[in-house]
Amino acid sequence: MYPSLLRRSKYLSEQPRTRIFIRLMGGGPRNFPGGLNQWQWKRLHEKKAKEKEQRLLDQEKQFFQARMRSQIRSSLAGQSHPNLNPDPNKYNPVSPKEYLKALADRFMKDGAEDLWSENDGSLKPPSDEQTAFVGTNQQPGSINSLVDLRKLISESRKVSQNRNNGFNYVKSRDYSAHRDLDFGSRGDFAKPLARRQTKFRRNESSSSGDCEDHGFVNDNVENFVGNSWDERGGVSNLRNVSDFMKNRGSETVKQSRFRRNESDDDDDLEGGGDRRGRSAKDIGSRAALGEYDMKKTRRVPLKELEKNDFPNEVELIRYELGRKKKFAGNGGNMEEEDSILSEKRFDECGLSPLTVKALIAAGYVQMTRVQEATLSVCLEGKDAIVKAKTGTGKSAAFLLPAIEAVLKATSSNDKPQVPPIYVLILCPTRELASQIAAEANAMLKYHDGIGVLTLVGGTRFKDDQRRLESDPYQIIVATPGRLLDHIENKGGLSVHLMGLKVLILDEADHLLDLGFRKDVEKILDCLPRQRQSLLFSATIPKEVRRISQLVLKREHAFINTVGVGCVETPAKIKQSFLVSPQKLHFQVVHHLLKEHIQQAPDYKVIVFCTTGMVTSLMYQLLREMKMNVREMHSRKPQLYRTRISNEFRESKCLILVTSDVSARGMNYPDVTLVIQVGIPYDREHYIHRLGRTGREGKDGKGILLLAPWEEYFLNELKDLPLEKFPIPHIDSETNFMTEESMSKIDSSVKEGAYHAWLGYYNSIREIGRDKTTLVELANQFSTSIGLQKPPSLFRKTALKMGLKDIPGIRIRR
Ligand SMILES: Nc1ncnc2c1ncn2[C@@H]1O[C@H](COP(=O)(O)OP(=O)(O)OP(=O)(O)O)[C@@H](O)[C@H]1O
């Protein structure tokens, strides 16, 4: 058994920091890396040891199987091979390497049967009919049982013992294991192997390809003789196979694929109508290798599983017909309609059939371009950083390989003591986390037993812990802050994360930005290094590309579906900007909304404001002006945010006034207009906010509303197709209504908005305004929202903001 305690003490002696800890605490370390306690640490190591042992065992099994194949093939190849022993009583072949022999011989020891699972081969005894076949050379078509490994091993052990006792086993025994060799009628597998056999025959000086593949060489035969069973049992089997072939009659043997040079009578074999002929061919094929041919499992399943999935097929046909109908009304312009979609379908790319079924049920048939570009790379397990425009299906592009990774990990034989989290998805906001989890669940619709858990702020920490303890979750979608709380709280999450296979950073550039970077770095410290990391975003500035090395392996793929030098925003969004005096902004927003509602009866609009408090003020004003609005920002409780988010997702004819909590990743379908009031924090924020409309290749509209002094920001967007709109005429009635509505809003909301406004613009370094000008502008804002005088600041706050002695700033007494 693995000496985990020994290792632990070794570990401790190697860790200076932990040693100090022991001395201080007296009774041994309380903490191990990743916040584990000593029992978790011990369990973790025991688990790792078990996994290692299992891996070794699997390798040994492969060596053993390779050796069996090699023996069977060399026997089939006859005695003319220079590396094969001409004496039929000396059994061929094969490995000169002692350690390989030793590995294979491990299966000859007592109890070795238990090392085999059902997956390794049938343990069922052969039926009488099958047993009768080889002995009497009957029709082989009905024989397709698997090799009885357990029997083979125990029989061979007897052989070895008899041999040691001086018996000539081969001649005298009733060796029944050979009867179980698979002479199956799966003719379709026979061709490629038969061809390989031909090659072997023709080029007699070369050794068997498969032996070489697995590190076995057919020289030094003598060295191998004396490894009792493998030679005797195996060759004994093979002799019966050869006998059988001879007894099938010379005509059939001549027809066999690997005697092609001597005979032109291939047709019978190829045709497959003649059972006798086909069986003879199979004997020289993989079928004769029985359960030792590992290729069988690789070739069968996928198409078989899909074969009779009629509901899926019906769905596919419906989808195609629907598309054709649509295009007929679109002048047949398929490209235009489906510009984000690629030609490739999900059922063509090696995904699990059940996932494909779920995708079809969700209406996903063809991949989008980013999905096509990334899926194969991600499925290979490579690290990748991916840039693709907003609304082009990046979420599915990372969720699909993540799900495949979970399926692969859960299907392995390892049974870890602590249920591992295989996939961790980090994203910047709570709503985005819920959205991603919902999409993952839709893709897992037909996969039982794979759980997705969201860990986000604003919910009860204890509830998270209870859920983590009661159910195993393989996929976690989290915001960095809450995840770190769990890690640092030593609630055991670190242990679950030790089995992590895939880490995903959605909105990666934002997560690696200063606001999140520290948390993300701490999280990275607790994750295993052996993992796949995937970074996705619609914007990846150069500096983020550099920082991404924190997460990614050196050899990672950079996939950019936007194209270097191409416009980074979706082509179908009509972008415009409007410059109007700050004091008119509320009226202009009202005017733009009214106009849009008239033009688009199914309107759905998002109005982005600079901060949460300014959002709140805008919302209250528009509500007073009888518009159908909702508000969403970080100052609202989580339940409220979730409710509004869901309502807006499903609604039409609604206006969402929001801050940057809704800027990234949120997929509200069919948003017709995005208005951004004031400068966005940077170019990336502009692109992500704009990207809430024009998703999935649909049309959309974006308007940026700036004050004259904010115009400098347009420089950041000069490569984007923004059109200048003239200032709309605001009639006196609207002016009056706005003033009246503003007067009804509580002054605490206005004061909050003023403070937030000042804080926001003061934090933008590129603003290019000195502090005095900035305070002047802030005070103009204060007047425009109906405050008599600018609200005062706490001395401490003013100091922190560098505004203490700036004229116009009032300090609270
Ligand atoms: N293969 C597909 N077929 C049809 N629709 C798809 C496909 N893939 C994704 N979608 C849909 O496209 C929309 C946008 O997807 P998603 O939210 O993943 O975009 P994104 O690229 O992550 O956007 P953002 O950059 O804003 O985060 C969603 O409504 C999603 O359901």
Side-chain angles (χ1 to χ4, degrees):
M1 204 54 226
Y2 185 77
S4 59
L5 287 172
L6 210 97
R7 281 238 167 151
R8 207 188 91 213
S9 61
K10 187 166 173 262
Y11 170 81
L12 294 181
S13 67
E14 286 165 4
Q15 303 296 311
R17 263 198 303 165
T18 326
R19 272 211 310 273
I20 295 165
F21 207 53
I22 295 172
R23 256 180 251 136
L24 290 174
M25 305 289 289
R30 300 284 193 275
N31 262 315
F32 288 81
L36 308 189
N37 66 33
Q38 59 178 322
W39 300 115
Q40 288 165 337
W41 183 251
K42 181 185 160 198
R43 251 180 273 138
L44 179 79
H45 276 268
E46 279 172 357
K47 190 192 104 188
K48 294 261 171 223
K50 266 196 193 138
E51 282 171 5
K52 195 173 167 191
E53 200 171 0
Q54 185 58 46
R55 272 201 309 275
L56 278 173
L57 185 59
D58 287 344
Q59 271 177 7
E60 289 173 24
K61 283 177 187 175
Q62 280 180 15
F63 280 136
F64 180 69
Q65 288 170 328
R67 189 154 128 182
M68 290 299 292
R69 280 202 303 279
S70 131
Q71 280 188 234
I72 294 168
R73 284 188 179 132
S74 20
S75 169
L76 286 171
Q79 301 298 329
S80 55
H81 194 289
N83 289 334
L84 299 178
N85 197 316
D87 178 355
N89 289 323
K90 295 268 167 81
Y91 301 116
N92 294 306
V94 314
S95 174
K97 295 179 183 160
E98 286 299 330
Y99 76 96
L100 292 181
K101 279 191 290 170
L103 284 174
D105 286 345
R106 178 174 169 177
F107 293 95
M108 304 315 307
K109 292 177 188 152
D110 271 336
E113 298 93 319
D114 297 335
L115 295 174
W116 294 89
S117 67
E118 286 287 347
N119 294 338
D120 298 316
S122 167
L123 298 177
K124 292 181 196 96
S127 67
D128 289 347
E129 188 192 353
Q130 288 162 350
T131 324
F133 157 57
V134 178
T136 57
N137 292 338
Q138 283 173 5
Q139 191 67 273
S142 62
I143 307 296
N144 59 4
S145 75
L146 301 170
V147 175
D148 184 348
L149 285 168
R150 191 189 288 273
K151 206 166 179 182
L152 270 174
I153 292 168
S154 54
E155 285 282 358
S156 57
R157 203 181 304 119
K158 273 187 233 150
V159 178
S160 137
Q161 280 158 8
N162 287 346
R163 197 174 179 225
N164 291 341
N165 292 337
F167 293 112
N168 186 343
Y169 176 80
V170 176
K171 278 179 189 153
S172 60
R173 77 189 170 133
D174 172 18
Y175 187 58
S176 58
H178 63 273
R179 293 166 189 163
D180 302 328
L181 281 177
D182 183 1
F183 295 103
S185 53
R186 286 166 292 210
D188 47 337
F189 288 123
K191 260 201 230 171
L193 198 95
R195 250 175 241 133
R196 266 187 280 152
Q197 302 272 13
T198 315
K199 192 176 155 203
F200 185 96
R201 269 288 189 182
R202 283 199 212 116
N203 180 9
E204 293 191 336
S205 64
S206 73
S207 52
S208 163
D210 262 48
C211 295
E212 279 171 358
D213 285 351
H214 293 272
F216 289 78
V217 184
N218 283 345
D219 54 13
N220 205 354
V221 176
E222 285 304 324
N223 198 9
F224 191 71
V225 173
N227 268 304
S228 54
W229 175 78
D230 272 337
E231 304 131 58
R232 285 184 167 268
V235 172
S236 185
N237 283 338
L238 299 166
R239 181 160 331 107
N240 281 289
V241 175
S242 311
D243 288 346
F244 166 74
M245 288 171 73
K246 276 182 211 142
N247 293 338
R248 296 290 318 136
S250 58
E251 185 197 328
T252 320
V253 173
K254 262 188 232 154
Q255 284 173 345
S256 82
R257 213 49 177 117
F258 47 84
R259 295 207 178 238
R260 194 159 51 172
N261 285 352
E262 296 156 37
S263 166
D264 290 327
D265 298 345
D266 277 346
D267 288 349
D268 279 351
L269 295 168
E270 301 282 350
D274 181 344
R275 282 169 73 84
R276 288 164 64 97
R278 197 179 61 198
S279 301
K281 179 182 70 170
D282 285 350
I283 291 161
S285 75
R286 69 154 297 283
L289 301 177
E291 189 59 3
Y292 299 110
D293 193 317
M294 285 182 283
K295 291 177 184 70
K296 186 181 67 182
T297 44
R298 280 188 218 144
R299 285 182 190 174
V300 182
L302 197 74
K303 291 277 175 232
E304 287 297 313
L305 274 167
E306 287 173 339
K307 228 182 230 167
N308 293 323
D309 201 350
F310 293 118
N312 270 1
E313 278 171 24
V314 170
E315 261 322 301
L316 286 172
I317 293 165
R318 262 199 205 132
Y319 174 84
E320 286 299 333
L321 285 175
R323 276 185 68 203
K324 274 183 192 153
K325 235 185 200 172
K326 247 190 201 171
F327 298 135
N330 191 28
N333 191 352
M334 283 184 128
E335 264 307 303
E336 181 76 1
E337 168 69 22
D338 267 357
S339 59
I340 72 156
L341 292 177
S342 77
E343 289 297 308
K344 204 156 182 194
R345 289 176 8 178
F346 284 107
D347 55 352
E348 297 169 334
C349 57
L351 291 171
S352 132
L354 292 181
T355 310
V356 174
K357 194 174 169 186
L359 285 169
I360 290 170
Y364 294 14
V365 178
Q366 278 171 280
M367 292 195 220
T368 65
R369 294 185 199 286
V370 61
Q371 289 157 5
E372 188 189 3
T374 53
L375 204 62
S376 59
V377 176
C378 297
L379 285 175
E380 277 173 31
K382 283 190 192 141
D383 280 12
I385 178 163
V386 180
K387 177 175 167 178
K389 290 184 189 181
T390 51
T392 54
K394 291 188 287 296
S395 313
F398 61 70
L399 281 172
L400 290 170
I403 289 170
E404 290 305 311
V406 174
L407 293 175
K408 195 171 156 197
T410 46
S411 68
S412 84
N413 285 336
D414 303 350
K415 290 279 169 280
Q417 280 182 343
V418 183
I421 292 163
Y422 292 120
V423 174
L424 172 63
I425 303 169
L426 290 179
C427 57
T429 63
R430 302 163 187 183
E431 287 74 24
L432 183 53
S434 307
Q435 183 183 294
I436 292 170
E439 195 164 348
N441 277 321
M443 290 176 190
L444 289 167
K445 186 173 176 186
Y446 299 106
H447 291 288
D448 291 332
I450 298 180
V452 184
L453 179 68
T454 51
L455 295 177
V456 296
T459 56
R460 279 167 58 95
F461 190 82
K462 283 247 157 75
D463 287 350
D464 287 351
Q465 279 186 321
R466 220 190 27 248
R467 271 186 261 153
L468 273 168
E469 279 159 20
S470 60
D471 289 311
Y473 290 97
Q474 290 80 9
I475 301 175
I476 298 281
V477 191
T479 49
R482 175 53 69 95
L483 184 78
L484 201 57
D485 286 348
H486 277 283
I487 289 173
E488 289 176 345
N489 212 281
K490 302 184 182 82
L493 192 72
S494 313
V495 190
H496 294 279
L497 284 171
M498 285 296 172
L500 191 82
K501 303 275 182 218
V502 187
L503 168 71
I504 294 161
L505 265 58
D506 190 18
E507 309 300 342
D509 56 330
H510 195 33
L511 289 177
L512 294 173
D513 217 1
L514 285 179
F516 282 110
R517 176 131 26 107
K518 270 204 176 128
D519 282 358
V520 171
E521 280 181 22
K522 283 185 195 164
I523 291 167
L524 289 174
D525 284 344
C526 302
L527 303 180
R529 275 163 195 266
Q530 272 307 320
R531 56 157 204 264
Q532 180 183 21
S533 305
L534 303 172
L535 273 54
F536 280 75
S537 183
T539 50
I540 299 178
K542 271 200 192 97
E543 56 278 22
V544 172
R545 212 38 199 102
R546 235 178 303 118
I547 300 161
S548 67
Q549 312 291 340
L550 270 177
V551 190
L552 297 167
K553 291 192 199 95
R554 188 194 282 266
E555 307 77 31
H556 64 263
F558 176 43
I559 299 167
N560 181 358
T561 62
V562 178
V564 182
C566 294
V567 177
E568 286 185 283
T569 48
K572 287 199 174 175
I573 306 179
K574 253 184 105 187
Q575 302 175 54
S576 50
F577 70 94
L578 213 147
V579 184
S580 105
Q582 172 98 44
K583 61 177 186 200
L584 288 181
H585 276 191
F586 293 102
Q587 286 93 320
V588 173
V589 170
H590 181 261
H591 174 90
L592 292 172
L593 288 172
K594 282 239 133 184
E595 199 177 60
H596 183 72
I597 291 168
Q598 275 172 8
Q599 288 165 0
D602 278 344
Y603 71 94
K604 193 165 176 176
V605 183
I606 302 183
V607 179
F608 282 105
C609 299
T610 47
T611 73
M613 284 312 290
V614 176
T615 300
S616 198
L617 177 68
M618 177 71 83
Y619 160 74
Q620 293 198 25
L621 182 79
L622 293 175
R623 194 186 55 185
E624 289 295 334
M625 294 171 92
K626 308 284 177 263
M627 309 227 72
N628 193 15
V629 281
R630 302 287 182 272
E631 73 176 317
M632 159 100 94
H633 50 84
S634 58
R635 289 171 173 267
K636 285 284 168 197
Q638 189 51 45
L639 272 178
Y640 178 91
R641 279 168 62 168
T642 309
R643 183 166 59 76
I644 297 297
S645 179
N646 291 340
E647 184 188 358
F648 191 65
R649 181 172 289 112
E650 273 139 41
S651 303
K652 286 223 153 87
C653 305
L654 198 58
I655 299 162
L656 180 71
V657 186
T658 183
S659 66
D660 282 327
V661 292
S662 311
R664 283 179 176 255
M666 291 313 296
N667 183 48
Y668 297 121
D670 303 319
V671 171
T672 49
L673 171 66
V674 166
I675 302 177
Q676 306 190 40
V677 186
I679 43 172
Y681 190 77
D682 54 24
R683 172 190 164 87
E684 283 72 39
H685 277 71
Y686 171 82
I687 291 173
H688 286 276
R689 285 163 154 197
L690 179 81
R692 297 317 97 203
T693 184
R695 298 176 74 73
E696 302 174 51
K698 291 179 186 163
D699 291 330
K701 243 184 184 179
I703 301 175
L704 174 63
L705 175 56
L706 300 175
W709 66 274
E710 290 176 310
E711 258 189 284
Y712 79 93
F713 184 75
L714 293 171
N715 264 337
E716 301 265 316
L717 311 178
K718 55 175 182 269
D719 60 326
L720 300 181
L722 269 86
E723 201 185 321
K724 186 167 183 171
F725 268 15
I727 309 175
H729 172 69
I730 310 293
D731 56 40
S732 53
E733 193 192 336
T734 309
N735 270 330
F736 176 74
M737 211 166 83
T738 312
E739 267 173 42
E740 201 181 56
S741 303
M742 190 65 91
S743 68
K744 289 182 189 162
I745 297 171
D746 199 284
S747 60
S748 65
V749 176
K750 294 178 186 172
E751 285 173 11
Y754 168 82
H755 287 140
W757 191 101
L758 193 57
Y760 176 76
Y761 283 102
N762 192 45
S763 71
I764 300 178
R765 235 181 279 141
E766 299 77 19
I767 203 157
R769 295 288 181 283
D770 60 58
K771 302 262 175 190
T772 310
T773 316
L774 188 69
V775 173
E776 267 172 31
L777 290 167
N779 292 350
Q780 282 173 23
F781 174 73
S782 155
T783 312
S784 74
I785 58 177
L787 288 170
Q788 299 296 326
K789 49 184 177 181
S792 56
L793 264 69
F794 285 114
R795 180 178 296 277
K796 222 171 143 183
T797 315
L799 252 173
K800 257 192 188 165
M801 291 168 76
L803 298 173
K804 197 183 132 254
D805 295 322
I806 304 295
I809 286 289
R810 295 175 56 239
I811 303 294
R812 202 169 280 189
R813 304 265 163 227

